Amino acid sequence: MKITVLTLFKEMYDGFLNTSIISRVLSKKEHEIKLVDIRDYSHDRHRHVDDTPYGGGAGMLMKVDVVHEAIMNNKDEDTYVLLTSPKAKPLTQDDLKRLSKKEKLMIVCGHYEGIDSRIEKYIDEQVSIGDYILTGGELASMVICDGILRLLDESISSDSLKEESYENGLLEYPQYTRPVEYDGMEVPFVLTNGNHKEIERYNLKMAIKETMKYRPEMLNRELSDQEVLLIKEIEDEL
């Protein structure tokens, strides 16, 4: 996969691209993140990329001609173009899975008060990472890149991915490591007794309990018979 990021602040990615799983994936040369400075496509010697909005209003807007030229000079016919935008629907794990199957992806990072709305003609999809406002799309683009790259074969084992939150319609169950007892808190005995069938059932129950506590709306779907039984068991314990 090749991901091209159009940004005004390439330096923001220095640490991100050289850290942990992202660095390991990119080091194998099968995948690439290319950074493009939008200012390189400015039309004046001062490298201006923004201007005041028609009709008034606070702040500055990125210019459509500059951003469009940056897009067209760095995409192929089969490149799928994303725009980071707070007005889009929030990104989900299913979105990341879908995007991870693209061979060529471009992420356009807005800044200031955004981009001239005519840029939407050249965008395939707008993406938000949540219902809040950031100073620019750079952090959002890193979230998107991280979420996609960790799904690729070279990053994390498939078993680990299967047990994560959102992968099976539930949040992930609580996990523990040594020491067995710390500050009066003990690892649940069932996790230490070696009975894998009991452990599997317990972990599913705890995943349901976490989901009921933090994201109950995720259970508004067709539930398996085992999930229904475990929900009743949890409710009876309360």
Side-chain angles (χ1 to χ4, degrees):
M1 164 176 272
K2 177 179 180 180
I3 302 177
T4 302
V5 180
L6 306 189
T7 174
L8 295 175
F9 300 97
K10 291 171 63 174
E11 64 275 11
M12 288 182 65
Y13 297 84
D14 292 345
F16 171 69
L17 295 178
N18 293 286
T19 303
S20 187
I21 291 170
I22 303 302
S23 176
R24 186 168 73 243
V25 173
L26 297 179
S27 69
K28 297 186 178 180
K29 308 301 182 184
E30 295 181 19
H31 307 288
E32 174 188 0
I33 293 182
K34 175 186 176 184
L35 301 176
V36 174
D37 189 342
I38 296 173
R39 292 185 189 278
D40 290 343
Y41 298 90
S42 177
H43 300 150
D44 64 77
R45 63 189 180 92
H46 297 294
R47 305 182 78 208
H48 287 141
V49 296
D50 61 332
D51 207 339
T52 55
Y54 282 113
M60 305 285 280
L61 284 178
M62 292 176 66
K63 294 163 58 68
V64 64
D65 52 347
V66 177
V67 180
H68 179 220
E69 190 170 326
I71 291 172
M72 298 310 296
N73 277 274
N74 291 280
K75 74 182 290 288
D76 299 326
E77 287 187 5
D78 56 346
T79 301
Y80 193 76
V81 184
L82 302 178
L83 172 66
T84 59
S85 169
K87 70 181 182 182
K89 74 176 184 64
L91 185 72
T92 67
Q93 189 67 18
D94 284 341
D95 291 327
L96 292 172
K97 289 179 183 177
R98 171 175 54 84
L99 294 172
S100 72
K101 293 177 172 59
K102 305 287 186 184
E103 290 190 10
K104 298 176 184 177
L105 198 64
M106 175 178 283
I107 306 174
V108 181
C109 300
H111 211 76
Y112 308 118
E113 288 298 309
I115 306 176
D116 183 315
S117 291
R118 289 171 288 185
I119 200 62
E120 294 179 13
K121 178 179 179 180
Y122 315 108
I123 300 298
D124 294 307
E125 181 178 348
Q126 298 190 48
V127 179
S128 168
I129 62 168
D131 295 335
Y132 48 85
I133 306 298
L134 301 173
T135 56
E138 282 73 21
L139 291 175
S141 74
M142 292 181 210
V143 169
I144 296 167
C145 289
D146 185 282
I148 290 173
L149 290 178
R150 66 190 303 278
L151 293 174
L152 303 179
D153 294 340
E154 297 79 5
S155 58
I156 299 175
S157 72
S158 58
D159 288 341
S160 294
L161 291 174
K162 287 177 184 176
E163 295 183 354
E164 293 182 325
S165 292
Y166 308 109
E167 287 300 320
N168 57 0
L170 299 170
L171 298 182
E172 190 171 11
Y173 50 81
Q175 299 185 74
Y176 309 86
T177 189
R178 286 185 284 258
V180 172
E181 188 277 333
Y182 180 75
D183 197 23
M185 298 175 287
E186 293 189 2
V187 175
F189 174 74
V190 65
L191 300 179
T192 67
N193 69 7
N195 187 321
H196 295 292
K197 188 172 182 179
E198 286 186 9
I199 291 172
E200 184 177 342
R201 184 182 188 278
Y202 177 82
N203 283 339
L204 177 58
K205 180 179 177 180
M206 291 301 101
I208 293 171
K209 195 170 184 177
E210 291 289 284
T211 307
M212 291 173 68
K213 181 178 180 180
Y214 294 106
R215 295 290 303 276
E217 75 279 4
M218 291 176 64
L219 296 172
N220 294 330
R221 55 177 173 78
E222 186 175 348
L223 303 172
S224 69
D225 291 341
Q226 186 179 23
E227 287 175 325
V228 172
L229 288 173
L230 289 173
I231 288 174
K232 186 176 186 308
E233 187 175 310
I234 293 168
E235 290 175 340
D236 289 344
E237 294 171 354
L238 297 177

